Amino acid sequence: MADLLRDLDFFHIDELLTSEERATRDTVRRFISREVLPHIERHFANETFPKEIVPQMAELGMFGANLKGYGCAGMNNVAYGLIMQELEAADSGLRSFASVQSSLSMYAIYANGSEEQKKRYLPEMAKGRLIGCFGLTEPDHGSDPGGMETRARKDGDGWILNGTKRWITNGSIADLAIVWARVDEGITGFLVEKGTPGFSTRDIHGKFSMRASITSELIFEDVRLPASAHLPNARGLKAPLGCLTQARYGIAWGAIGAARTCYNCALDYTKSRKQFSRPLAGYQLVQNKLVKMLTEITKMQMICLRLAHLKDEGKYRPEHVSFAKRNNVNEALKIARDARDMLGANGIVNEYPVIRHLLNLETVNTYEGTFDVHTLILGRDITGENAFE
Ligand code: TGC
Ligand code: FAD
């Protein structure tokens, strides 16, 4: 089977990229091909994350890639998106790791931290020496994080933290947890270092999706935190939601990568597989599916490039990101399902990457705002009626 990471560029979108953006994408693609693809099925089978590649990801500037200063690469948002696209062409779990490190954990400190916190943590996180996780979801509060029960109360100069966060990517492998909690004034954020007494993690096993990514529960039992652990500029739910906007942006790009791998695989397979003495690709029903995939991927690419330019110009709104995340992940999921069908029985084995992408995309459609939550965010935007109240 030919290179499944190869481009799909029906509308010459490549010509709209700068040479630096193309070079970033190609470097990441070579890295993925060399260091990730040969091992990813084993990690998915064993429920392990390939932690050994973290230093190389850092070397390539992938962590906090679009942040400025503090040892970050300061790339534009097109380059950042292309990195996410290539990572997810290999596996959604890999893109998840980078999203959580960059857009959730580093960005939370970048946007809400003191100068001292930024200098202390961001350069180490950019180098991949310090891994972060982002604890917003709780066992009883997923789509409605505003209902969170994790609580911090003042204790002298510091704080005492109690509560449980669930479904936290990188939870048990993180050195630093960004934890969102309720205080008397509302919702705010804390930095909790691994090893702090009273803080423990428990991994979630039995996942059929995102198996090459660690997902954990974070438990806080009378965790005593110094004043310096508080993110001083995190005031209200808009602080964590602002981080989600950054991560959702990367997810919209990532979905293109997963969809592209599935499309390339389905195209190659149906061109070579013969039934009734003709290649499957010669049948009208199969061509219809391939053309639908091509069309949706091309639309996804256009949405993301325009979104990147709006973001770089400071003109994008969270609702633009909701539009892109909702559409791209849902279309990628449909493409993965069609590709799986087109591979017949071979669509269910790990000789081909399609079933792994399909299973992963079920998570991607759920996390960072489910498909329906983004529908309601957009519905609120265009009607002025808030379905969440
Ligand atoms: P609502 O009244 O809508 O908003 C409260 C305040 O926040 C502001 N805001 C935002 N700010 C920045 N970015 C956004 N996306 C924002 N959305 C809202 C808003 O303007 C308001 O500000 P202010 O000044 O008036 O206080 O709050 P609500 O409680 O009605 O929330 C509604 C809703 C459903 C949109 C929100 O809760 C939501 O997005 N729910 C989905 C939860 C979610 O996505 N969780 C993700 C957890 S992290 C994760 O899944 C990581 S996966 C790993 C990976 O990324 O790979
Ligand atoms: P619920 O909110 O209970 O939703 C269940 C269903 O109800 C969905 O179909 C939803 O669309 C629907 N629904 C909810 N509200 C409404 C409504 N108002 N109207 C109509 N329908 C509605 N969280 C973190 O904080 N950090 C992480 O790193 C992280 N990583 C994750 C990794 C994985 C592998 C997974 C699976 C999840 C992760 N999450 C993380 C949690 C994720 O963000 C939540 O699962 C997601 O927000 C949905 O919450 P929920 O699972 O509680 O579903």
Side-chain angles (χ1 to χ4, degrees):
M1 197 167 271
D3 175 19
L4 295 181
L5 293 180
R6 69 185 184 271
D7 259 338
L8 188 178
D9 191 15
F10 196 71
F11 263 74
H12 306 286
I13 290 172
D14 227 41
E15 290 172 14
L16 303 177
L17 304 179
T18 64
S19 54
E20 287 90 351
E21 290 159 0
R22 279 197 293 267
T24 302
R25 179 199 59 200
D26 294 346
T27 305
V28 178
R29 192 177 295 173
R30 278 194 297 275
F31 164 75
I32 293 300
S33 172
R34 202 180 56 236
E35 305 293 338
V36 180
L37 288 188
H39 312 291
I40 194 64
E41 293 295 351
R42 175 169 51 84
H43 284 290
F44 192 86
N46 296 343
E47 282 193 318
T48 50
F49 172 74
K51 213 176 161 197
E52 59 282 0
I53 62 171
V54 169
Q56 294 169 74
M57 292 173 79
E59 186 81 14
L60 293 174
M62 290 189 204
F63 301 139
N66 58 349
L67 303 182
K68 296 198 168 49
Y70 308 100
C72 301
M75 294 180 199
N76 70 14
N77 283 295
V78 177
Y80 171 71
L82 290 166
I83 293 174
M84 297 296 141
Q85 173 184 288
E86 297 309 313
L87 291 177
E88 197 145 356
D91 192 87
S92 301
L94 198 62
R95 197 270 311 134
S96 247
F97 181 90
S99 288
V100 168
Q101 178 76 353
S102 304
S103 300
L104 293 180
S105 307
M106 292 176 74
Y107 184 82
I109 298 170
Y110 187 80
N112 302 292
S114 66
E115 198 51 36
E116 196 186 332
Q117 288 167 333
K118 291 184 211 179
K119 284 188 178 143
R120 175 166 175 198
Y121 293 115
L122 293 180
E124 287 297 289
M125 295 176 90
K127 289 192 187 100
R129 291 194 201 134
L130 200 77
I131 293 174
C133 70
F134 183 90
L136 181 63
T137 305
E138 299 186 353
D140 294 328
H141 300 282
S143 297
D144 67 334
M148 71 175 64
E149 292 165 54
T150 297
R151 200 171 167 91
R153 67 176 159 80
K154 268 272 185 205
D155 179 59
D157 277 355
W159 302 84
I160 304 281
L161 181 68
N162 276 290
T164 303
K165 298 288 176 181
R166 189 162 163 81
W167 299 108
I168 307 307
T169 302
N170 298 347
S172 64
I173 57 170
D175 306 289
L176 183 69
I178 317 297
V179 183
W180 301 95
R182 190 174 294 290
V183 296
D184 288 345
E185 296 76 22
I187 287 167
T188 190
F190 294 91
L191 304 172
V192 185
E193 294 186 5
K194 192 176 196 156
T196 306
F199 170 33
S200 59
T201 63
R202 191 163 42 214
D203 284 346
I204 297 172
H205 294 291
K207 291 180 296 172
F208 284 83
S209 174
M210 288 287 184
R211 288 177 60 86
S213 169
I214 306 297
T215 317
S216 319
E217 197 163 61
L218 313 181
I219 302 133
F220 306 96
E221 291 168 313
D222 288 331
V223 176
R224 190 176 294 275
L225 298 173
S228 60
H230 180 229
L231 289 171
N233 301 317
R235 295 185 200 97
L237 190 58
K238 67 179 171 208
L241 292 182
C243 303
L244 298 187
T245 301
Q246 304 300 314
R248 291 166 177 172
Y249 169 81
I251 290 171
W253 277 94
I256 301 173
R260 189 188 71 199
T261 298
C262 292
Y263 167 82
N264 283 338
C265 193
L267 181 62
D268 293 352
Y269 188 87
T270 54
K271 279 166 82 173
S272 64
R273 168 90 176 161
K274 284 189 180 155
Q275 288 296 287
F276 306 101
S277 69
R278 276 175 63 190
L280 289 173
Y283 294 106
Q284 291 177 2
L285 286 172
V286 173
Q287 289 184 5
N288 184 42
K289 286 180 184 147
L290 289 169
V291 170
K292 175 89 176 123
M293 291 174 171
L294 169 78
T295 307
E296 292 308 326
I297 293 172
T298 302
K299 283 152 76 177
M300 289 156 71
Q301 291 169 335
M302 290 180 174
I303 290 168
C304 274
L305 195 59
R306 178 63 184 142
L307 182 63
H309 291 154
L310 286 176
K311 186 164 171 10
D312 276 334
E313 291 163 20
K315 289 198 250 171
Y316 86 140
R317 298 188 293 127
E319 288 77 9
H320 292 133
V321 180
S322 284
F323 180 104
K325 194 274 183 185
R326 175 183 180 275
N327 178 77
N328 288 13
V329 177
N330 200 248
E331 292 304 330
L333 187 52
K334 288 191 223 159
I335 287 166
R337 281 185 190 140
D338 270 347
R340 204 236 43 84
D341 169 68
M342 290 157 83
L343 266 66
N346 281 319
I348 69 157
V349 287
N350 66 3
E351 187 184 339
Y352 299 89
V354 170
I355 185 76
R356 178 167 49 80
H357 280 293
L358 169 56
L359 294 170
N360 283 340
L361 286 164
E362 291 289 350
T363 283
V364 185
N365 206 41
T366 285
Y367 71 22
E368 290 282 1
T370 65
F371 178 83
D372 283 339
V373 161
H374 288 297
T375 304
L376 297 178
I377 290 171
L378 290 166
R380 176 170 70 179
D381 193 52
I382 59 175
T383 65
E385 298 287 342
N386 186 356
F388 299 113
E389 281 175 353

